[in-house]
Amino acid sequence: MDSDDDISRATRAKRGSPYLNTDQAAAYLKFSSRLLKRLRRAGKGPAFRRHSRFVQYHIDDLDAWSKAQSNGGNDHDPA
């Protein structure tokens, strides 16, 4: 799937439904869906909901998780 298409689908979803599928959520966070799936399996990714067999991410959860991952621009731990 083309990433530009995923981003436009995510943008449309944000205006309509606040829920994104894995590909849309990964495009929204600007990384691969494979990485998002790995983070989900490891319990380290953003909160998600399982609607039947479908995994859905709420935009607010993606924003909160992304903000929590921010290190304030520091690329190293202060000693």
Side-chain angles (χ1 to χ4, degrees), residues 40-53:
R40 184 173 69 228
R41 282 192 296 267
K44 296 182 180 186
F48 67 94
R49 292 151 176 86
R50 192 172 293 277
H51 297 243
S52 183
R53 64 184 176 107

Side-chain angles (χ1 to χ4, degrees), residues 26-71:
Y28 183 76
L29 293 170
K30 299 191 179 0
F31 52 70
S32 73
S33 59
R34 185 175 179 182
L35 175 59
L36 185 55
K37 289 174 188 175
R38 255 190 275 145
L39 290 169
R40 184 173 69 228
R41 282 192 296 267
K44 296 182 180 186
F48 67 94
R49 292 151 176 86
R50 192 172 293 277
H51 297 243
S52 183
R53 64 184 176 107
F54 302 102
V55 173
Q56 299 281 298
Y57 294 88
H58 194 280
I59 294 259
D60 293 341
D61 293 335
L62 297 175
D63 289 338
W65 180 82
S66 180
K67 186 175 181 179
Q69 302 309 302
S70 173
N71 63 1

